[in-house]
Amino acid sequence: MAALLVCSHRGPVTYWRAGRRLLPRSVGPGGLVPVMTPVMRRFGGRWMFSSFSPEDREVARSSPGGRERDGFVLQVLDVPEAMHRGHYEVVSVEYLGRLFHYLFELARAPVFDRRFAAAWRDYARVNALYAEAILRAPGEDPVFVEDHHLMLVARDVRRLRPSFARPLLYFHHVPWCAPDYFALLPRPVRTEILSGILAHDGVAFHSRRWARAFLDCCDRFLPGAGVAEDTVEWEGRRVPVIAAPAAVDTTALAGSARSPQADRWAARLNRRAAGRHALVRVDRVDLWKNALRGFQAFELLLEQRRELAADVCFLAVLTPTRTWVPEYRRYQQACERAAERINERFGGRGRRAPVSLLLASDPRLPDHHRALGALRIADAVLVNPLFDGLNLVAKEAAVVSERDAVVVLSENAGAYEDLADGALGINPFDVEQTADALGRAVDMPARERRSRAATLKRAVRARTPERWVRDQLRAATGR
Amino acid sequence: MAALLVCSHRGPVTYWRAGRRLLPRSVGPGGLVPVMTPVMRRFGGRWMFSSFSPEDREVARSSPGGRERDGFVLQVLDVPEAMHRGHYEVVSVEYLGRLFHYLFELARAPVFDRRFAAAWRDYARVNALYAEAILRAPGEDPVFVEDHHLMLVARDVRRLRPSFARPLLYFHHVPWCAPDYFALLPRPVRTEILSGILAHDGVAFHSRRWARAFLDCCDRFLPGAGVAEDTVEWEGRRVPVIAAPAAVDTTALAGSARSPQADRWAARLNRRAAGRHALVRVDRVDLWKNALRGFQAFELLLEQRRELAADVCFLAVLTPTRTWVPEYRRYQQACERAAERINERFGGRGRRAPVSLLLASDPRLPDHHRALGALRIADAVLVNPLFDGLNLVAKEAAVVSERDAVVVLSENAGAYEDLADGALGINPFDVEQTADALGRAVDMPARERRSRAATLKRAVRARTPERWVRDQLRAATGR
């Protein structure tokens, strides 16, 4: 099996200065890094990603060919700060991230004006930097372009070198939205994105549902595209469009979950639960992770069944994110207030607090062990995103749970297609239904818990990182 | 031709006290009233609608069988205030209105909790009141149920009287959203709505696009429904689902546009334009009408072409709406600030203000003459809603324009399907494209203006209120 050339915007490390040396440090949780890391460990090859800081840029300049680490090459690309801002903060986060997650408040945003147009030029420039780096990279390994930060890379590769022959694959890690919502984009941008993605040899999503939405957009916005069930004919090429849900490396994960650090967290959180049912959530405080409605649902459960206030403990393990954006700060504060309110209403006066809100102290540091410790001791895990490409936590919970945790899972998470048979499905906007599902999880008899947990484990184990890569390659190359 | 029994939430009048008598007064502009009024004038029959005030309730109680006026019967239904609040303010406006227009800020709303559940019970109760009133109504005329306030009426009619034989038709005046967004609703509510609508003999939308979105939702959320191109098989019945864009009564409209009041407004606004190109918009200040981006586009046009500041006058004829809702107040203030900013930047120092913001003094009073006066003298009309069921103004502009007005039209207005050939289509979120289209409208040579205006007029005249009704009846009954 060949190694891989992976291109993503965020890499697994960022660099920091230790005296005269620049050393790598693992980045925080979430996103595609936990999906790609086991893949790179298994296949090896080269991982290209953007510089996020002056130290990263220094490494990019001093080691333009990359540095080897853990059996593969890490190659940082030198993206100037201003270009990075337009590409990342404006286009990728403020526009595309909100677009694919249905997160605009449409009366006021998005506005496509000259500021967007300038940022879109930065977006295209960063994509072109990747294309140039790919063309300089040694070897004939297949190229995996990851996520919505890099949708124009393949177009530039083919423009710069029409004879480019390495397999070229695109994976979209976030949801894809319906045509009505995709149409918020300016017409030329719609075309650039769709045709840019179709410049690959294969296109993949975490779920059938997102793949179908992409096909619907091609059908509506690319006149002349021949859209079928799982291919698009475009400019004389036939591009497969498949669902290939990302997998967890169950062996490695079980190992991490048994590490001394995870052991310490499990013990500590166990003391906190103090014999009560442990209801756990593990998330970044991102607008689409839906922490707030999680608290509202727990509150409603306690309103309806006050006796549970003494029997259930809600461990909310949250990592702050984008705290420099006012809207994110307000959202986190709303979560903190909800937790306080629940504790005032249902705890206090000698009773224990029903909610433990565990906010990571430094959002830039990985806190995987804390998350794994919490998932190990969970009796129920709430995974209720508004819309989510996959949501790996749902799969991790199924693997590391020591108590046959019931997984209460949003039907809008990509992982739902794999886990529907074992999980309790909910509409994430329906707080009453979510409260009911949490109550059902608490009440569930041991036999049903075991059976559901076994179903979940089977579903998770049926997919491996290796299969994930091979499915994409097979679709694109027939091999 | 039979008369009609029309059921809508808002009626053409509301009542006020004059001494000991309760007299009808026409309601403000917008919504379905201007669509239904010419229909009732043409066909006659009975128009049922809800009470909005204590005076309306008094009329409902004193004249339960309705009162004749203008050749048809106006029948107010006695809806208790508390029930009205749940049905209208909570479910119809806060939830369904936002849902169908993609207007939620998803991180925080909608939340489906016990408050919604209680309001949903009110929604169902009001719908049941209509069903009971229909069953009491005399005659065998076909029943036309209008809009998303009344989606459960037909279900109740059939439950209460399975042998009900009058043709029963539903028309949806607002957009229909894609399945991903419709799925925000709790599962049982999704089923109630879709199956409630399918209890009619025919279902119609202003555009093919909304009809298709409805069919997509039936396909995804009604297991067992047989969804085809323009029908749904459901519970043994075959329900046609068609596009029947509403029409303007061009004769009546031309008459109103020539009234002395409209003449006065035309003359007054003409003086305001003072020889400059008149760019006109006419809208309620509703969140989906997109007044704010209209100002942003005009501002961008003047930035790009400063010479136009002296040559173009933007007459924004706006009617405040829901001013008791803070979000609506803030939105209106943002519009006012944008207008001021443009006038400061491009007017002042002896120059005339480029923007005239004409806000209706009393939002409850009809201001059709002011609107018609403005449309008569327009050189260009901006109709840029985010999403809109139809947007009648676009069609009215084409009829009453005296200057071959160029219509710059959102591709998300239902009217776009009829008017695409004559109008300049825009993506309403794309402020740059909107600015370009406004510039193009200003520059357009007389010959092209004439040809486009003629195309628009032909398209509008091809539809009549009579045909609108007959198309629905024919689809439902084959007659």
Side-chain angles (χ1 to χ4, degrees), chain A residues 179-226:
Chain A
D180 267 3
Y181 213 79
F182 187 72
L184 304 184
L185 293 170
R187 283 186 213 171
V189 175
R190 296 175 205 160
T191 310
E192 267 192 275
I193 289 176
L194 296 173
S195 61
I197 290 179
L198 292 175
H200 293 84
D201 297 306
V203 177
F205 297 85
H206 285 301
S207 79
R208 195 62 223 140
R209 180 176 170 186
W210 313 138
R212 213 173 290 128
F214 173 76
L215 292 164
D216 288 346
C217 287
C218 292
D219 196 35
R220 184 154 143 203
F221 303 113
L222 282 185

Side-chain angles (χ1 to χ4, degrees), chain A residues 114 180 187 209 293 303, chain B residues 110 114 180 209 303 411:
Chain A
R114 293 201 290 190
D180 267 3
R187 283 186 213 171
R209 180 176 170 186
R293 287 192 190 80
E303 269 176 31
Chain B
R114 293 201 289 188
D180 268 2
R209 180 173 170 187
E303 270 176 31
E411 56 196 16

Side-chain angles (χ1 to χ4, degrees), chain A residues 102-114 117 178 180-181 183-187 190 209 220 287 293 296 300 303-304 327 330-331 334 386-387 411 425-427 429-433, chain B residues 102-114 117 178 180-181 183-187 190 209 220 287 293 296 300 303-304 327 330-331 334 386-387 411 425-427 429-433:
Chain A
Y102 291 97
L103 273 173
F104 289 113
E105 195 193 348
L106 287 192
R108 292 172 182 264
V111 172
F112 294 97
D113 52 10
R114 293 201 290 190
D180 267 3
Y181 213 79
L184 304 184
L185 293 170
R187 283 186 213 171
R190 296 175 205 160
R209 180 176 170 186
R220 184 154 143 203
L287 296 180
R293 287 192 190 80
Q296 291 164 345
L300 180 54
E303 269 176 31
Q304 290 169 335
E327 190 179 357
R330 281 196 299 272
Y331 187 77
L386 309 181
F387 290 94
E411 55 195 18
I426 51 153
N427 167 357
F429 302 94
D430 190 342
V431 164
E432 271 207 286
Q433 188 195 25
Chain B
Y102 291 97
L103 272 173
F104 288 113
E105 194 192 347
L106 288 191
R108 293 172 182 262
V111 172
F112 294 98
D113 52 10
R114 293 201 289 188
D180 268 2
Y181 213 79
L184 304 184
L185 293 171
R187 283 186 214 173
R190 293 175 206 160
R209 180 173 170 187
R220 184 154 142 202
L287 297 179
R293 287 191 190 81
Q296 291 164 344
L300 181 53
E303 270 176 31
Q304 290 170 335
E327 191 181 358
R330 280 196 299 271
Y331 187 77
L386 309 180
F387 290 94
E411 56 196 16
I426 51 152
N427 168 358
F429 303 94
D430 190 341
V431 164
E432 270 209 287
Q433 189 195 24

Side-chain angles (χ1 to χ4, degrees), chain A residues 404-435:
Chain A
D404 294 335
V406 180
V407 175
V408 175
L409 180 58
S410 166
E411 55 195 18
N412 291 337
Y416 186 71
E417 283 187 8
D418 273 352
L419 305 182
D421 287 344
L424 297 184
I426 51 153
N427 167 357
F429 302 94
D430 190 342
V431 164
E432 271 207 286
Q433 188 195 25
T434 307

Side-chain angles (χ1 to χ4, degrees), chain A residues 27-31 265 281-287 289 291 295 315-324 328-329 331-332 335-336 356-372 393:
Chain A
V27 301
W265 271 109
R281 78 171 301 142
V282 172
D283 278 304
R284 275 173 295 135
V285 192
D286 230 322
L287 296 180
K289 295 295 187 182
F295 289 118
L315 299 170
V317 179
L318 297 176
T319 305
T321 188
R322 302 195 214 289
T323 43
W324 60 90
Y328 276 76
R329 272 205 308 278
Y331 187 77
Q332 183 177 320
C335 290
E336 293 174 36
S356 284
L357 176 54
L358 299 150
L359 280 164
S361 49
D362 183 347
R364 290 163 310 172
L365 293 179
D367 56 359
H368 204 210
H369 300 296
R370 190 176 62 136
L372 292 173
V393 169

